[in-house]
Amino acid sequence: VIQDSDFNYSHLRGGTGPLVYPGGFVWLYSALFKLTSEGQDIPLAQYIFGFFYIINLGIVLKIYSLAAPKYFKPVYLGVLCLSKRIHSIFTLRLFNDGPAMLLLYASILCLLQNRKITACILYSLAVSVKMNIFLFAPGLFLVLLAEGVGSCVFHIAICAIVQLVVGFPFLVSYPVEYLTQSFNIGRTFNHFWSVNFKWVPCEPLPEHEKSLLNDCAGIFTSKLFGIGLLVAIICFWITFAFNCGGPDSGGLTFLRKSVHGKPFSKQEIVTVMFVSNFIGVVLSKSLHFQFYIWYFHALLYILFLTKLPTVVKFTLLLCIEICWNPWPGEISSTITSSMILTMCHSLLLVSILSGLWVGQKKEHIE
């Protein structure tokens, strides 16, 4: 893009395959490319991402200070600094997942401070860096709808305008190529690097048939499996919105509270954003090691939305952390680690929904 002024997304490729991220990714990494002597000064890039890590952590800590669940003790926040995988994602691997989540958490902080226009701008910028941020969209929609239909439409329009601005050079030049590649939700994934569904059967392909994004044939790569997961995500989102409520809902579910135009409390804002994303993560077709950042900093929060004993909460957190790191003698996950992670996710998701289910006492949340 920078060197050849080529805005055709079908021509843009890297060492891991074709470019599949929206325009914000291009502009962010183009700036980093220039700042690091055309990508040669790797230590400088790591310092920059180390700065991103510190800012991200500071924003997350501020979110917890403004909206921490009941029974949550400040000393627990130390856990957010201990993940080896998160340190690697930011300062060693330099993945775009880190900057995308930094923008997302900044957006949530602005929501808590009632700066919704800024929040929507930051949210849309985060989407433009990596599309996984869409998993927070149902939660954001509920928060915006609580301010009224007109206000909701206005703020969604702001998100759309940001996308048009970020993608403008690509949209006016090669719109089809840009939209089909940067917002492609139907692409295949490499089974070898799957952290969550490696236990799903998939027969390895012969070496000459393998590609960067496809290394097997079976249930894992079938369209039916992908469609089934997508339907499950939508069903859980609907279940959460229609049947769960926050501490200040007065017996109303999140959706009913939104429809009745009752603004969310700080705890409810964080809850709907974090849980909306967690549902999407649990049922994502394939999670790779760098995707841990999608929900790591929210795990501690959503654990305290459950009625699980404290020792079980931290045991789950430890098991999830272990599953997100290669096991001894391996460079990827194993079938066993994948199954354990799926069980941990399932237990946590059921515990969250049951803990927030309207009609039950919700004294565990302030």
Side-chain angles (χ1 to χ4, degrees), residues 49 52-53 56 86-94 98-99 293:
F49 271 77
F52 288 162
Y53 171 82
N56 180 77
I86 299 303
H87 296 158
S88 173
I89 291 170
F90 268 101
T91 59
L92 182 60
R93 306 299 180 181
L94 314 183
I293 190 68

Side-chain angles (χ1 to χ4, degrees), residues 46-119:
Q46 292 179 306
Y47 287 136
I48 293 172
F49 271 77
F51 177 72
F52 288 162
Y53 171 82
I54 296 298
I55 297 300
N56 180 77
L57 182 59
I59 292 173
V60 169
L61 294 178
K62 182 65 175 177
I63 290 172
Y64 274 83
S65 72
L66 292 174
K70 194 175 182 180
Y71 305 132
F72 185 90
K73 298 178 182 180
V75 68
Y76 297 156
L77 293 172
V79 174
L80 300 178
C81 309
L82 300 179
S83 174
K84 174 184 176 182
R85 175 57 54 190
I86 299 303
H87 296 158
S88 173
I89 291 170
F90 268 101
T91 59
L92 182 60
R93 306 299 180 181
L94 314 183
F95 287 116
N96 60 324
D97 304 79
M101 293 306 299
L102 167 59
L103 290 168
L104 183 279
Y105 287 125
S107 172
I108 293 177
L109 180 59
C110 287
L111 286 176
L112 298 180
Q113 297 170 339
N114 202 31
R115 295 188 290 158
K116 290 184 174 59
I117 293 178
T118 304

Side-chain angles (χ1 to χ4, degrees), residues 236-257:
F236 272 102
W237 276 339
I238 292 173
T239 299
F240 174 67
F242 274 82
N243 297 285
C244 296
D248 304 313
S249 64
L252 296 175
T253 64
F254 289 123
L255 182 61
R256 287 179 65 84
K257 190 169 184 179

Side-chain angles (χ1 to χ4, degrees), residues 5 40 51-52 94 107 132 154 169 189 202 223 248 265 281 288 295 305 329 342 359:
S5 297
Q40 299 303 309
F51 177 72
F52 288 162
L94 314 183
S107 172
N132 71 284
F154 171 73
F189 294 91
C202 202
K223 289 186 177 181
D248 304 313
S265 67
V281 169
H288 296 177
Y295 74 132
L305 297 176
T342 299

Side-chain angles (χ1 to χ4, degrees), residues 10-293:
S10 65
H11 296 166
L12 305 180
R13 301 179 62 87
T16 57
L19 179 59
V20 293
Y21 307 123
F25 167 87
V26 175
W27 307 128
L28 171 63
Y29 279 82
S30 295
L32 290 170
F33 182 74
K34 289 187 175 182
L35 287 172
T36 57
S37 303
E38 297 189 347
Q40 299 303 309
D41 194 346
I42 302 302
L44 176 58
Q46 292 179 306
Y47 287 136
I48 293 172
F49 271 77
F51 177 72
F52 288 162
Y53 171 82
I54 296 298
I55 297 300
N56 180 77
L57 182 59
I59 292 173
V60 169
L61 294 178
K62 182 65 175 177
I63 290 172
Y64 274 83
S65 72
L66 292 174
K70 194 175 182 180
Y71 305 132
F72 185 90
K73 298 178 182 180
V75 68
Y76 297 156
L77 293 172
V79 174
L80 300 178
C81 309
L82 300 179
S83 174
K84 174 184 176 182
R85 175 57 54 190
I86 299 303
H87 296 158
S88 173
I89 291 170
F90 268 101
T91 59
L92 182 60
R93 306 299 180 181
L94 314 183
F95 287 116
N96 60 324
D97 304 79
M101 293 306 299
L102 167 59
L103 290 168
L104 183 279
Y105 287 125
S107 172
I108 293 177
L109 180 59
C110 287
L111 286 176
L112 298 180
Q113 297 170 339
N114 202 31
R115 295 188 290 158
K116 290 184 174 59
I117 293 178
T118 304
C120 288
I121 292 173
L122 290 170
Y123 175 82
S124 193
L125 286 174
V127 171
S128 76
V129 175
K130 189 151 189 178
M131 202 174 59
N132 71 284
I133 305 300
F134 270 133
L135 296 178
F136 291 89
L140 179 62
F141 175 74
L142 290 174
V143 173
L144 295 178
L145 183 60
E147 301 292 328
V149 175
S151 176
C152 180
V153 172
F154 171 73
H155 287 95
I156 291 175
I158 290 175
C159 293
I161 291 170
V162 171
Q163 290 302 313
L164 291 175
V165 171
V166 171
F168 182 77
F170 309 101
L171 289 169
V172 298
S173 303
Y174 299 93
V176 175
E177 288 80 358
Y178 178 68
L179 293 174
T180 55
Q181 287 201 203
S182 63
F183 295 97
N184 179 10
I185 63 172
R187 64 180 184 271
T188 58
F189 294 91
N190 194 303
H191 184 259
F192 177 79
W193 292 110
S194 178
V195 178
N196 59 332
F197 285 134
K198 201 162 191 177
W199 55 268
V200 176
C202 202
E203 189 69 25
L205 293 172
E207 287 298 324
H208 68 278
E209 294 183 17
K210 291 182 179 180
S211 66
L212 288 169
L213 297 177
N214 190 19
D215 63 347
C216 68
I219 296 175
F220 179 82
T221 56
S222 69
K223 289 186 177 181
L224 185 61
F225 181 59
I227 293 172
L229 289 174
L230 179 59
V231 170
I233 290 174
I234 294 172
C235 288
F236 272 102
W237 276 339
I238 292 173
T239 299
F240 174 67
F242 274 82
N243 297 285
C244 296
D248 304 313
S249 64
L252 296 175
T253 64
F254 289 123
L255 182 61
R256 287 179 65 84
K257 190 169 184 179
S258 290
V259 172
H260 283 80
K262 298 181 180 295
F264 285 17
S265 67
K266 287 183 173 64
Q267 290 89 348
E268 289 172 331
I269 289 173
V270 178
T271 296
V272 295
M273 294 294 284
F274 282 0
V275 176
S276 170
N277 175 63
F278 182 67
I279 290 171
V281 169
V282 170
L283 294 165
S284 290
K285 185 175 181 180
S286 183
L287 298 175
H288 296 177
F289 280 132
Q290 67 268 30
F291 299 173
Y292 190 25
I293 190 68

